[in-house]
Structures are given as C-alpha cells and as structure tokens.
Amino acid sequence: MGIPTEPIGSVPRPAELLKGFQDHAEGRIDAAALRALTDQALADTVSRFEATGSPVVTDGEQDKPSFLTYPVAGIPDLAAGGAVVPFADGHTRELPVLTSGPFRYSAHAVDLLRAAQRLTALPVKQPVIAPSALALLYPADGIDGYSRDEFVADLVNETEADIRACLDAGAAVVQLDFTEGRLSLKLDPSGGLLRDFVALNNAVLERFSAEDRARIGLHTCPGGDQDSTHSADVDYADLLPDLFRIKAGRFYVQLASEPDRRRVLGIIKEHLPADARVFIGVTDPIDPRVETAEEVRDRVLEAAEFLPVERLGTCDDCGFAPFADDTSTSRDTAFAKIAARVEGTRLAEAALGI
C-alpha cells in the first residue's frame, strides 16, 4: 500500500449554482430548478475530481450552503444572534441560535453521499460537521423546558445516526470537521472548552467499533474563509495533545501553511495515537499560488523523516470553500492544487521506494 491521499471536502461552487442559491432564496426559481443546478455542479465536480487522478472523491459540498450548519438548514427553531467567529481580515461569521427543542437534523449527509456515489466508481469520502461545532447553537442562557443535557443527548444521537448511515451506505471515510478545536483555545486559553469539545466528540465516537473508527477521521485547521483564518496564531503545541485524545482512526492536520512545519511534525510524532494515521496538509487553499508536484513531494518526504510511512497520508489544508458564498478561490485553482497533491504524493512514493 502506498501513501493515501484525500481531499478535505469543499470546492468552490460554479457561478451558476451560486446565482441559483440566491434566486431560490429570493423566490425567483423553485426547488426543482435549484436541484437541477446543484446536480449539474455535482456531476462536474465528480468528473473533475476523477480527472485529477484522485483515488478518493467527495461531492465538493456543492449542496451545502455552509459546512457547519447544513444539518439544520431551514428548521423553524433557529434565530439569528448566535456565536460570532472573527477572522483575521476583519470579517465575521455568525452562527444561529437554537430557540426550542428537541434538536433534530433537517438534512442528512447520507443523501449527499449517495448522490455522489451514483456518479463514480471511485471511493467517496463524506465530510460531516463535528458535534462540538453544533453544540455552539445552544444559547448560554438556556432554553425554557429544554435543558442543555437534553440538547447534548439529542445532538449525540443525531450525529451518531448521521455517521452510521454514511458508513452503512459504503462511505470510504466519514470525516468530522473540527475547525472549532483550534479556535476554542483562542476563546478559552485555559483549554477547558477544548477538553469539553473532545469529550463531546468522544461521546459520539465511543458508540462505534474499532473497525468503524478506522473509517472515521477528524479534520483540524485554523479556519479558511475568504482567504483568511480565525485561529492560525494558536500554537499547535497547545492543541494537538488534546486533539489526539479524540477516538478517531484518522487525523487530517493543516500543515502546508504552517510557518514551522518541522516543529509541528515533531509534536505529531510525540502525540499521534499508536493506532491512527495522520494526513498532513500539503496544499494551502488560501494561497492563490498553485503548488508544484515537486513541492508537494518534498513536504511528504519531510514528514516521512518524522513519521512511519505506513501511518502517513496527504490532504489539502482545508476545504476550498466551506461556505458557499466564498468565491476567493476559483474552481480551476482548487482542482489544480488537488492535481498537484495527487501527483506530488505519487512522486514521494517513488522517492521512498513504495
């Protein structure tokens, strides 16, 4: 077996689909017309993934307005005014807030998975949002008649069901997006919030067998929205020891954009669980320059100085457009970077003789 390489999730949506989202929201087209535009974008996405030589594909999250809130899009018991995430360039993203219970998903990842599976014979990876991110929807002052404990119980059940349905439907991998992990240390430098997040994610993962967890991964990054991050100034040394306590079989770690990759690789080497594989980021989605395959190769060879090759994989640092309205990166650039990652990983395999 060589070095596996996987995408993280999202790729930029075509302009026609972005216009369709807006037209549908404003009543100019109906749901069927939007579905047709989404299906076209999905087919193009899968085809372009295949053209890069990628051994694993995703749906590019074409159907998701947001990687974070897609499971609750359109439910009636949400209101504005939730947690605000500030980015380094000054823009923000505001989460909604839950107003009543019980908490239930309105959309399920398995439906997105099956849509992509119908278009390819390649293995399909399915990203889902980590329960720790959705926990931020519960208001700090509580909800009358619906306690936080009741909410957490519902959240764990819904997340488990979402993951299990994807595994049962044949997902190659189910990836939990955990971008809030690094951010939590900015919000609470004591690490208490991070440890709460770890415990919540483990409450879900502990419901799965070791065999299942080998197909469940967790992605961490400092955010990537409109070519900006929310927590890149948080030291990985403060995050990774706790993050690697999460009972996932795979970890996807943003690394290409780190200023001192070798230092981070040393931390990974020290703390990576014995039964887990780490996928290191070798392309940077918020850098407009497309990496060469040789640059990717060299980043893999650097990582192989620290980690056994049989526990190493490659990925992109982050999704290319986690929020649908992020047009800072073009589809052409995203797929060029993906192609460089795939080719560069193969070059590294050849250099390592595997």
Side-chain angles (χ1 to χ4, degrees):
M1 182 178 179
I3 300 172
T5 187
E6 297 178 10
I8 290 301
S10 63
V11 296
R13 288 78 170 165
E16 297 82 2
L17 179 56
L18 293 178
K19 183 175 184 299
F21 285 148
Q22 183 175 358
D23 286 346
H24 181 257
E26 296 175 1
R28 288 188 291 273
I29 63 172
D30 62 14
L34 177 59
R35 182 72 259 162
L37 290 170
T38 306
D39 288 345
Q40 291 170 14
L42 174 59
D44 182 69
T45 298
V46 171
S47 175
R48 293 185 71 165
F49 260 123
E50 292 177 331
T52 68
S54 180
V56 178
V57 305
T58 76
D59 67 351
E61 304 194 54
Q62 301 299 283
D63 225 336
K64 296 179 182 177
S66 160
F67 83 108
L68 200 163
T69 57
Y70 75 90
V72 295
I75 67 173
D77 45 357
L78 287 180
V84 175
V85 179
F87 285 78
D89 66 354
H91 87 275
T92 62
R93 292 284 184 178
E94 182 182 276
L95 277 64
V97 63
L98 193 68
T99 58
S100 64
F103 176 77
R104 296 289 186 268
Y105 280 12
S106 61
H108 296 89
V110 69
D111 296 324
L112 308 178
L113 169 68
R114 287 174 176 144
Q117 288 173 322
R118 287 192 288 268
L119 297 171
T120 184
L122 290 173
V124 179
K125 173 181 182 176
Q126 184 57 50
V128 302
I129 191 61
S132 49
L134 293 176
L136 297 171
L137 301 181
Y138 192 84
D141 55 357
I143 298 173
D144 288 342
Y146 188 57
S147 70
R148 183 171 187 85
D149 287 346
E150 290 172 310
F151 164 74
V152 168
D154 287 339
L155 172 59
V156 169
N157 287 338
E158 290 293 285
T159 309
E160 178 198 0
D162 209 35
I163 296 170
R164 196 172 297 281
C166 291
L167 293 176
D168 290 346
V173 183
V174 177
Q175 172 192 289
L176 277 69
D177 287 322
F178 187 52
T179 182
E180 70 279 6
R182 204 164 178 178
L183 177 63
S184 72
L185 288 168
K186 200 164 189 175
L187 302 174
D188 176 14
S190 76
L193 181 58
L194 173 61
R195 289 187 288 274
D196 287 345
F197 282 168
V198 169
L200 178 55
N201 291 332
N202 277 340
V204 173
L205 293 174
E206 286 164 356
R207 296 186 175 189
F208 292 89
S209 68
E211 182 180 7
D212 285 339
R213 289 199 297 269
R215 293 166 57 201
I216 301 174
L218 183 124
H219 168 238
T220 184
C221 74
D225 181 41
Q226 298 180 16
D227 284 349
S228 187
T229 62
H230 53 52
S231 54
D233 53 340
V234 172
D235 194 333
Y236 259 145
D238 296 327
L239 172 68
L240 291 179
D242 279 311
L243 180 137
F244 285 138
R245 290 176 43 235
I246 295 176
K247 296 178 181 180
R250 302 161 180 241
F251 293 90
Y252 303 87
V253 178
Q254 164 265 341
L255 191 62
S257 55
E258 281 295 303
D260 190 348
R261 292 192 302 272
R262 296 184 70 85
R263 175 174 175 268
V264 177
L265 285 165
I267 298 168
I268 294 171
K269 178 182 178 180
E270 181 179 357
H271 295 283
L272 183 68
D275 58 350
R277 183 187 291 271
V278 64
F279 290 71
I280 61 161
V282 291
T283 57
D284 179 5
I286 67 175
D287 183 349
R289 187 184 67 84
V290 176
E291 294 84 355
T292 66
E294 291 73 21
E295 285 177 290
V296 170
R297 175 201 62 198
D298 292 346
R299 290 172 181 176
V300 180
L301 296 178
E302 178 183 61
E305 296 177 35
F306 293 82
L307 299 161
V309 173
E310 63 270 17
R311 300 180 66 200
L312 183 61
T314 65
C315 61
D316 309 302
D317 268 2
C318 187
F320 289 90
F323 298 93
D325 62 1
D326 180 3
T327 58
S328 58
T329 301
S330 71
R331 280 172 75 82
D332 287 346
T333 296
F335 281 109
K337 284 175 173 280
I338 290 166
R341 169 173 51 77
V342 172
E343 182 182 356
T345 302
R346 300 289 84 86
L347 292 177
E349 288 179 336
L352 292 165
I354 57 173

